Amino acid sequence: MKLIGRNLLITEVKEEIKTSSGLLLSSEDVSKFRYSKGVVNNVGSEVSCINVGDKIYYDKGNGYKMIIHDEKYTLIQESAVVVVL
């Protein structure tokens, strides 16, 4: 599979977040946040500073869900990435 341009193919990471007071937020609560965590599976030919395997936070509103070979992926543009961990 070959991505074109500044596109990224990622897998979403479902996570639970622990607040400073010790409360554990469920994945349902976390899904209400604007940004989501993911792992990069493939990068387009024009992407320069993000690599396959990087963990990122991205704006969920800019992605498209896809199923490729029975696997669920999200397709986003490089500009939707806000943090590379």
Side-chain angles (χ1 to χ4, degrees):
M1 171 177 10
K2 182 178 179 181
L3 291 179
I4 298 171
R6 296 188 171 272
N7 293 309
L8 302 168
L9 193 67
I10 62 169
T11 303
E12 285 188 49
V13 175
K14 300 293 182 191
E15 62 180 337
E16 293 181 338
I17 297 177
K18 191 173 188 177
T19 64
S20 60
S21 62
L23 293 173
L24 197 61
L25 299 178
S26 69
S27 59
E28 182 179 313
D29 293 329
V30 173
S31 70
K32 296 176 185 174
F33 295 156
R34 179 175 179 174
Y35 300 105
S36 186
K37 188 175 184 180
V39 176
V40 179
N41 292 322
N42 202 338
V43 297
S45 57
E46 296 177 16
V47 176
S48 59
C49 60
I50 301 171
N51 300 310
V52 174
D54 284 349
K55 293 179 183 171
I56 61 169
Y57 278 98
Y58 65 97
D59 188 348
K60 291 189 293 191
N62 293 334
Y64 299 96
K65 307 283 186 216
M66 304 176 74
I67 296 178
I68 302 171
H69 303 296
D70 297 325
E71 295 286 330
K72 186 175 178 182
Y73 297 102
T74 302
L75 181 67
I76 62 171
Q77 291 187 344
E78 183 181 22
S79 61
V81 176
V82 292
V83 175
V84 177
L85 300 174

